[in-house]
Amino acid sequence: MQSTDLGNKESGKIWHRKPSPATRDGIIVNIIHNTSDYHPKVLRFLNVAFDGTGDCLIAGDHQGNIYVFDLYGNRFNLVQRTAQACTALAFNLRRKSEFLVALADYSIKCFDTVTKELVSWMRGHESSVFSISVHASGKYAITTSSDTAQLWDLDTFQRKRKLNIRQSVGIQKVFFLPLSNTILSCFKDNSIFAWECDTLFCKYQLPAPPESSSILYKVFAVTRDGRILAAGGKSNHLHLWCLEARQLFRIIQMPTKVRAIRHLEFLPDSFDAGSNQVLGVLSQDGIMRFINIQTCKLLFEIGSLDEGISSSVISPHGRYIASIMENGSLNVYSVQALTQEINKPPLPLVKVIEDLPKKKLSSSDLKMKVTSGRVQQPAKPRGSKIQTRILKQDLTGDFESKKNELPDGLNKKRLQILLKGYGEYPTKYRMFIWRSLLQLPENHTAFSSLIDKGTHVTFLNLQKKYPIKSRKLLRVLQRTLSALAHWSVIFSDTPYLPLLAFPFVKLFQNNQLICFEVIATLIINWCQHWFEYFPNPPINILSMIENVLAFHDKELLQHFIDHDITSQLYAWPLLETVFSEVLTREEWLKLFDNIFSNHPSFLLMTVAAYNICSRVPLLNCNLKDDFEFFFHHRNNLDINVVIRQVYHLMETTPTDIHPDSMLNVFVALTKGQYPVFNQYPKFIVDYQTQERERIRNDELDYLRERQTVEDMQAEVDQQRVEDEAWYQKQELLRKAEETRREMLLQEEEKIIQQRQRLAAVKRELQVKEMHLQDAARRRFLKLQQDQQEMELRRLDDEIGRKVYMRDREIAATARDLEMRQLELESQKRLYEKNLTENQAAVAKEMRADADAYRRKVDLEEHMFHKLIEAGETQSQKTQKFEEIQRNFLKENTKE
């Protein structure tokens, strides 16, 4: 295992020697990031994501350093310093150099890895974003936090929709289903909803899981075809949902050591058409176990108790696994190394013992007899039948055993025996077997160079001629055809190339490299001599088919001749479409299992066999339109009968007319670079190219001349238009002047009339003003009169109030005087009483102190006199007040 320390480097190599991962752990490289400061420390990686190709990954640490690792080019680059921890990453946008990063401040930013500049800054979340899901087209993205999920348009970086939920129901995950237009939202109450992306219409809701195995879902994963949803949580149970049937179809129990599931992800396979069978399960112990969801077997595992895994991401093509370890480092695993023991082919059922050659083969020994026994199947017991065939051996060939050896440990002879026994290869292993039979080199660099040349000019408007509903399929077909055209110029002028390539593009649309190499291998081997009569159909190939048909069914051929039906009608449509128009998908796959397992002449024999097996309906056809319809539409024909007929024709056709004598044996594509394809009349193609160039130049000259003439004509027309406009303008000005004069006269008359009306109105206003002034004067006089009357009433009220107050004051004064008189009388009686008492007291005394007594008597007499004077003074005041009151009443009476 190699280890790389990024240190303070901003770029460099990921590894310094070619990695050779061991089967035991499968680690390609371990990446750590240690700072070389005075106090060195480890910068922990937090998130990692692959791009769309699967050969580049992006990783961010807790200080905001974001690195891009090119596993194919063996380079790493520091592309951004965000200065804050990243919480989520996405690297599969429409623009390949851009990526999304969610930061600790709840914002999402888009950066460019090439220019290292900020593309956009998106805000709207109020809590940490823990998930970013990008649509398959790369146009939309969903960012998810614990309280909300938001849908963004990545063309304008504007928020389209926001998912608002109740505070009591949190969000677990919201993401796009792969290769579809559906959004899946999973909540903490185990409710799962599917929404249409464009209209946000709720398509369906998954039912609640059974109570016997109910778990709170925490993590989710979906297969690449979007049919199966895996869900897990704090339990060792896994729930598998069928999204098409919308029901729970399987519950998988993990080993007892697994108590909680932290992460789920399916392992993609290039040959499973998106129906992934292997699921990676990361548990609480830091070990990620990969299981087969069909057989429920543990295939392999990564991580250990000592070196636990925190999170993992699998590349889209399933070649790499990037795992962030619990110690903060980053491990990159090779899936091929981990599955090396699993993908070993099974041991052969038939063992062949061959004698060693005792002498060198000479030209007289080119023919040899090989006997092969049919294997007896347990389910279908058949008697062993010995077949003898004479095979031709190439001068440059090795021994038969070596010739039949294929890559990945397969043997062509054994595969043919298996194919004859079952009629087809297992669906699960078909793509793997095809890749071995065709010996595909998988030249990534060469294919990338072809793809980098862009769309070929010939196929820019491919959708107009072939309107395909699926935009992805159209895009893959356009790229594949462009790569073929860049590989060899002949394919840019081949009109039937889209028909030939379409079934393979549809089958391998998720792996364009395999698709291209399968088509290229088909052209090199099974399309030999097709281009010798270009641009016409291959007359030589069609003649071979006609010879075979003449030998095996003369009546049918004579029927074709009688109705003027040539091989270009009954053979060429089948070849140029490779039977895709007349067969269903299953029939076509079964047929090509046999074509790829046999000599290239097998395809030509298939055309003859298809006609022979269809002889009854063909003999009933008399019109040319009926024949054309028959060879361009599906017919009621058993493909197994056709395949048996092909093998019969291969064995019974004479050597002199057998196509295998005129076609070369299978030749695989070369590794590293693709071979030069020049099996076509170069002078015709060059002539056509020159003619097209000449026509293009002539057309450019014609366009230039036409443009010049049009410019001159435009100038003349412009001058004429300007002259006419000037005359029209002068005429309009004259008419406008006359109109203005008439308008002035009319306006003057109107002004005079208005002045007269204004004078009349003014007189009326003056009269009205006089009337108003008179009415106002009368109202003013009446108002004054009313005010005076109100003032008199107010004065009367004031006089009455004062008289009333005066009477009340007089009555109160009289009462006070009476009370004072009473008080004085009571005081007088009190004083008399006191005097009597004092005199009695004095009389009783022995006249001890005569002076004191006299002083006391004088004092009492003095006080008595003062009281009498006070009473007299009060009586005088009372009499004076009564006189004043009588005088006031008299005056009021006089008034």
Side-chain angles (χ1 to χ4, degrees), residues 244-276:
E244 291 182 339
R246 302 170 191 173
Q247 63 181 0
L248 180 68
F249 74 93
R250 182 167 300 158
I251 298 176
I252 299 176
Q253 183 175 358
M254 297 295 291
T256 55
K257 62 183 73 174
V258 176
R259 299 190 302 275
I261 297 172
R262 293 163 51 185
H263 183 69
L264 292 173
E265 190 155 0
F266 280 96
L267 180 63
D269 193 331
S270 302
F271 301 102
D272 59 6
S275 58
N276 311 134

Side-chain angles (χ1 to χ4, degrees), residues 325-343:
M325 312 305 290
E326 292 179 349
N327 59 10
S329 64
L330 176 64
N331 278 3
V332 181
Y333 297 87
S334 169
V335 176
Q336 182 179 2
L338 292 169
T339 58
Q340 187 172 357
E341 293 294 330
I342 304 169
N343 292 335

Side-chain angles (χ1 to χ4, degrees), residues 269-453:
D269 193 331
S270 302
F271 301 102
D272 59 6
S275 58
N276 311 134
Q277 303 296 318
V278 180
L279 176 64
V281 182
L282 177 62
S283 56
Q284 87 289 341
D285 56 3
I287 298 175
M288 192 166 188
R289 298 170 175 85
F290 288 82
I291 61 172
N292 189 303
I293 62 174
Q294 299 297 332
T295 62
C296 296
K297 290 185 178 180
L298 178 63
L299 303 179
F300 61 92
E301 59 184 31
I302 58 176
S304 62
L305 295 176
D306 297 331
E307 297 180 357
I309 296 176
S310 176
S311 62
S312 283
V313 178
I314 302 177
S315 63
H317 51 47
R319 289 183 185 151
Y320 305 110
I321 303 174
S323 298
I324 296 178
M325 312 305 290
E326 292 179 349
N327 59 10
S329 64
L330 176 64
N331 278 3
V332 181
Y333 297 87
S334 169
V335 176
Q336 182 179 2
L338 292 169
T339 58
Q340 187 172 357
E341 293 294 330
I342 304 169
N343 292 335
K344 279 187 175 180
L347 294 176
L349 299 177
V350 179
K351 299 291 185 180
V352 179
I353 301 176
E354 299 179 355
D355 293 332
L356 292 173
K358 296 183 178 179
K359 61 178 181 178
K360 190 174 181 180
L361 294 174
S362 61
S363 60
S364 62
D365 297 327
L366 288 178
K367 294 183 179 181
M368 57 186 300
K369 287 187 177 182
V370 178
T371 60
S372 61
R374 185 182 295 272
V375 179
Q376 187 172 356
Q377 302 294 334
K380 297 180 180 180
R382 300 178 182 175
S384 298
K385 183 178 179 181
I386 305 298
Q387 296 180 350
T388 303
R389 289 187 58 195
I390 299 176
L391 302 179
K392 294 182 180 180
Q393 185 176 1
D394 192 7
L395 287 171
T396 60
D398 201 346
F399 300 113
E400 190 69 23
S401 60
K402 293 185 178 180
K403 185 194 298 184
N404 292 327
E405 289 297 328
L406 297 174
D408 300 319
L410 299 181
N411 185 281
K412 186 174 182 180
K413 201 68 179 177
R414 295 166 186 162
L415 290 175
Q416 289 175 343
I417 295 172
L418 178 67
L419 183 61
K420 288 184 178 181
Y422 291 96
E424 61 179 329
Y425 292 127
T427 304
K428 184 177 179 180
Y429 299 105
R430 174 178 279 125
M431 302 301 123
F432 172 71
I433 295 173
W434 281 17
R435 185 172 63 180
S436 299
L437 286 170
L438 301 179
Q439 302 177 29
L440 302 181
E442 299 187 24
N443 298 328
H444 291 274
T445 305
F447 178 71
S448 298
S449 65
L450 294 175
I451 291 296
D452 292 342
K453 293 181 180 179

Side-chain angles (χ1 to χ4, degrees), residues 479-519:
R479 289 179 181 176
T480 305
L481 296 177
S482 299
L484 290 169
H486 291 311
W487 176 42
S488 180
V489 68
I490 184 66
F491 298 126
S492 62
D493 298 321
T494 306
Y496 56 85
L497 185 64
L499 301 175
L500 179 75
F502 180 73
F504 297 99
V505 170
K506 192 171 183 181
L507 188 63
F508 297 100
Q509 58 181 312
N510 294 326
N511 195 328
Q512 299 178 33
L513 170 63
I514 299 298
C515 176
F516 172 81
E517 293 187 349
V518 168
I519 297 173

Side-chain angles (χ1 to χ4, degrees), residues 68 75 113 131 158 166 176 208 213 233-234 261 263 267 341 373 433 451 471 493 501 535-536 688 711 748 817:
V68 170
R75 298 289 299 176
T113 58
S131 171
Q158 297 293 323
R166 294 196 305 270
F176 288 104
S213 180
K234 291 185 178 181
I261 297 172
H263 183 69
L267 180 63
E341 293 294 330
I433 295 173
I451 291 296
R471 296 185 62 84
D493 298 321
N536 300 314
Q688 287 187 344
D711 293 341
E748 288 178 355
L817 289 173

Side-chain angles (χ1 to χ4, degrees), residues 412 415-425 430 433-434 437-438 526 583 586-603 605-606 639-647 650:
K412 186 174 182 180
L415 290 175
Q416 289 175 343
I417 295 172
L418 178 67
L419 183 61
K420 288 184 178 181
Y422 291 96
E424 61 179 329
Y425 292 127
R430 174 178 279 125
I433 295 173
W434 281 17
L437 286 170
L438 301 179
W526 282 271
L583 298 178
E586 290 73 18
E587 292 173 344
W588 188 85
L589 292 172
K590 186 180 294 186
L591 174 62
F592 267 85
D593 284 345
N594 291 271
I595 290 176
F596 286 154
S597 301
N598 288 279
H599 191 273
S601 61
F602 194 90
L603 179 61
M605 288 297 192
T606 305
I639 191 62
N640 296 316
V641 176
V642 176
I643 293 173
R644 286 198 294 270
Q645 183 66 30
V646 176
Y647 281 108
M650 292 286 289

